[in-house]
Amino acid sequence: MVAVVQGGEPVVIPNQEGNRTTPSVVAITDKGERLVGQIAKRQSITNPENTIFSIKRLMGRKYTTPEVDHAKQRLPYKIVEASNGDAHVEIFGKKYSPPEVFCHDPSEAETGG
Protein backbone atom coordinates (compact mmCIF):
# COMPACT_ATOMS: atom_id res chain seq x y z
CA MET A 1 0.00 0.00 0.00
CA VAL A 2 1.23 3.45 -0.88
CA ALA A 3 -0.33 6.67 0.37
CA VAL A 4 0.25 10.38 -0.05
CA VAL A 5 -1.07 13.38 1.81
CA GLN A 6 -3.33 15.63 -0.27
CA GLY A 7 -4.96 18.66 1.31
CA GLY A 8 -3.90 17.45 4.75
CA GLU A 9 -5.60 14.05 4.32
CA PRO A 10 -3.97 10.68 3.56
CA VAL A 11 -4.98 9.20 0.21
CA VAL A 12 -4.19 5.57 -0.63
CA ILE A 13 -2.93 5.16 -4.19
CA PRO A 14 -4.55 2.18 -5.93
CA ASN A 15 -2.28 -0.51 -7.40
CA GLN A 16 -2.23 -1.54 -11.09
CA GLU A 17 -5.46 -3.48 -10.68
CA GLY A 18 -7.25 -0.58 -9.01
CA ASN A 19 -7.19 -2.10 -5.52
CA ARG A 20 -5.98 -0.26 -2.44
CA THR A 21 -4.25 -3.30 -0.96
CA THR A 22 -2.00 -5.94 -2.52
CA PRO A 23 -1.88 -9.51 -1.19
CA SER A 24 1.53 -10.64 0.10
CA VAL A 25 1.83 -13.38 -2.48
CA VAL A 26 4.68 -14.03 -4.92
CA ALA A 27 4.69 -16.71 -7.60
CA ILE A 28 7.30 -17.86 -10.07
CA THR A 29 6.12 -19.36 -13.33
CA ASP A 30 7.89 -22.21 -15.11
CA LYS A 31 9.27 -19.55 -17.49
CA GLY A 32 10.87 -17.69 -14.57
CA GLU A 33 8.37 -14.83 -14.59
CA ARG A 34 7.76 -13.25 -11.17
CA LEU A 35 4.13 -12.50 -10.32
CA VAL A 36 3.16 -10.39 -7.30
CA GLY A 37 -0.09 -9.71 -5.51
CA GLN A 38 -3.52 -10.57 -6.85
CA ILE A 39 -2.24 -12.08 -10.11
CA ALA A 40 0.03 -14.43 -8.11
CA LYS A 41 -2.84 -15.32 -5.80
CA ARG A 42 -5.08 -16.18 -8.77
CA GLN A 43 -2.60 -18.60 -10.31
CA SER A 44 -1.87 -20.36 -7.02
CA ILE A 45 -4.39 -23.06 -7.95
CA THR A 46 -2.37 -24.15 -10.98
CA ASN A 47 1.09 -23.49 -9.49
CA PRO A 48 0.82 -24.06 -5.70
CA GLU A 49 4.37 -25.31 -5.13
CA ASN A 50 5.82 -22.12 -6.63
CA THR A 51 3.37 -19.65 -5.08
CA ILE A 52 4.70 -18.24 -1.82
CA PHE A 53 2.41 -16.80 0.85
CA SER A 54 2.43 -16.70 4.66
CA ILE A 55 6.22 -16.63 4.46
CA LYS A 56 6.53 -13.81 6.98
CA ARG A 57 5.84 -16.46 9.62
CA LEU A 58 9.18 -18.07 8.70
CA MET A 59 11.33 -14.95 9.02
CA GLY A 60 14.03 -15.41 11.64
CA ARG A 61 12.99 -18.98 12.40
CA LYS A 62 15.21 -22.02 12.46
CA TYR A 63 14.14 -24.97 10.32
CA THR A 64 13.86 -27.25 13.35
CA THR A 65 11.30 -25.16 15.29
CA PRO A 66 7.72 -26.36 15.90
CA GLU A 67 6.37 -23.33 14.00
CA VAL A 68 8.29 -24.29 10.87
CA ASP A 69 7.26 -27.92 11.25
CA HIS A 70 3.62 -26.81 11.37
CA ALA A 71 4.13 -24.62 8.28
CA LYS A 72 5.69 -27.53 6.36
CA GLN A 73 2.56 -29.58 7.03
CA ARG A 74 0.09 -26.98 5.78
CA LEU A 75 1.84 -24.95 3.05
CA PRO A 76 2.11 -26.28 -0.51
CA TYR A 77 5.57 -24.90 -1.26
CA LYS A 78 8.82 -26.53 -0.23
CA ILE A 79 10.38 -25.31 3.01
CA VAL A 80 14.02 -26.35 3.35
CA GLU A 81 16.91 -25.87 5.76
CA ALA A 82 19.55 -23.30 4.83
CA SER A 83 23.22 -23.87 5.60
CA ASN A 84 22.88 -21.67 8.70
CA GLY A 85 19.87 -23.64 9.97
CA ASP A 86 17.26 -21.05 9.01
CA ALA A 87 14.02 -21.90 7.23
CA HIS A 88 14.17 -21.05 3.53
CA VAL A 89 11.93 -21.92 0.61
CA GLU A 90 12.97 -23.76 -2.52
CA ILE A 91 11.69 -22.59 -5.88
CA PHE A 92 12.78 -24.47 -9.01
CA GLY A 93 15.75 -25.97 -7.16
CA LYS A 94 17.08 -22.71 -5.63
CA LYS A 95 16.87 -21.73 -1.96
CA TYR A 96 15.60 -18.30 -0.92
CA SER A 97 15.30 -16.68 2.49
CA PRO A 98 11.90 -15.19 3.32
CA PRO A 99 13.04 -11.59 2.71
CA GLU A 100 14.55 -12.52 -0.66
CA VAL A 101 11.22 -13.80 -1.91
CA PHE A 102 9.58 -10.38 -1.54
CA CYS A 103 12.56 -8.04 -1.89
CA HIS A 104 14.26 -9.45 -4.96
CA ASP A 105 13.44 -11.10 -8.23
CA PRO A 106 14.18 -14.74 -7.24
CA SER A 107 15.50 -15.46 -10.74
CA GLU A 108 18.30 -12.96 -10.06
CA ALA A 109 18.85 -13.35 -6.30
CA GLU A 110 21.97 -14.98 -4.93
CA THR A 111 21.85 -16.81 -1.62
CA GLY A 112 24.24 -18.60 0.58
CA GLY A 113 21.53 -21.15 1.42
Side-chain angles (χ1 to χ4, degrees):
M1 174 169 46
V2 176
V4 295
V5 177
Q6 291 180 339
E9 295 292 321
V11 177
V12 177
I13 299 172
N15 62 19
Q16 292 176 338
E17 294 187 337
N19 299 317
R20 296 181 185 273
T21 61
T22 301
S24 295
V25 181
V26 174
I28 308 301
T29 67
D30 57 354
K31 296 177 184 172
E33 182 182 10
R34 182 175 184 253
L35 307 174
V36 178
Q38 193 63 41
I39 192 167
K41 187 176 179 180
R42 278 196 298 267
Q43 68 90 55
S44 66
I45 294 169
T46 59
N47 187 20
E49 60 279 347
N50 298 306
T51 302
I52 310 301
F53 58 94
S54 295
I55 195 167
K56 293 175 187 173
R57 301 170 195 271
L58 301 179
M59 286 187 186
R61 299 216 186 261
K62 295 296 182 185
Y63 181 77
T64 56
T65 63
E67 295 86 0
V68 172
D69 191 48
H70 179 70
K72 289 187 311 186
Q73 294 173 26
R74 67 178 184 80
L75 296 171
Y77 50 85
K78 191 172 186 179
I79 300 171
V80 297
E81 186 172 11
S83 60
N84 66 355
D86 286 352
H88 282 197
V89 296
E90 188 173 304
I91 306 168
F92 291 110
K94 291 178 113 178
K95 292 180 184 177
Y96 301 98
S97 69
E100 286 177 313
V101 172
F102 285 98
C103 296
H104 297 95
D105 180 345
S107 67
E108 297 173 359
E110 292 294 324
T111 68

